Amino acid sequence: MLDGSCHCGNGKWTFKGHPGSITACNCTLCHRYGTLWAYDYEGERIAVSGELTAYTRADEGSPTLEILFCPTCAGVVAWRSLHLDERGRRRIAVNLRLAALEQVANLPIDHFDGLATFEDLPSDGRCVRDLWA
């Protein structure tokens, strides 16, 4: 199991099992936040806890997700879909930057172009440890 928390410890997440590859996205939000995402479904392999505040983009006519962050230290904990999928599940991703490096260092990074094409980018072979510093 992986776990992470914001700087003050108020916002926490756990991820059961191996998350597979981690996503580095270049959209306007992820670029600013510097996040690395691990995905699953709320209440399945991911659990988020603590007093969190949600931010939903005001510049989109039909937003699809909200960013969950700590109102005390402003640490970005997760994003969560605003809609359920066809099976009634809610997609969620946790910010791996909130985990201890030794837990996540060797996880491979996938790059996603959330800015222009909304497609996966070619792998460059880097792992979380390569983007940490």
Side-chain angles (χ1 to χ4, degrees):
M1 180 168 69
L2 301 175
D3 61 345
S5 69
C6 63
H7 193 263
C8 74
N10 176 54
K12 296 176 174 53
W13 58 259
T14 58
F15 193 109
K16 295 177 189 169
H18 192 281
S21 60
I22 303 310
T23 299
C25 177
N26 67 352
C27 78
T28 58
L29 286 174
C30 296
H31 169 76
R32 284 173 172 85
Y33 294 146
T35 52
L36 295 171
W37 300 115
Y39 303 92
D40 202 73
Y41 295 92
E42 191 171 52
E44 293 185 22
R45 296 192 312 152
I46 291 177
V48 174
S49 62
E51 179 186 336
L52 299 173
T53 300
Y55 168 69
T56 303
R57 292 178 62 151
D59 64 336
E60 289 189 8
S62 298
T64 59
L65 59 87
E66 62 186 359
I67 301 294
L68 302 176
F69 65 96
C70 174
T72 302
C73 70
V76 174
V77 175
W79 70 251
R80 179 172 54 199
S81 175
L82 294 174
H83 310 286
L84 300 178
D85 69 10
E86 64 281 347
R87 294 176 52 195
R89 301 179 304 171
R90 185 177 310 275
R91 192 82 162 146
I92 189 169
V94 292
N95 183 5
L96 267 280
R97 293 265 190 194
L98 303 184
L101 178 57
E102 59 270 10
Q103 285 189 326
V104 299
N106 296 319
L107 295 174
I109 299 287
D110 286 335
H111 295 274
F112 182 75
D113 184 5
L115 187 60
T117 66
F118 220 66
E119 295 178 1
D120 292 325
L121 298 170
S123 175
D124 60 10
R126 291 190 288 174
C127 295
V128 170
R129 72 176 168 276
D130 300 319
L131 296 183
W132 203 267

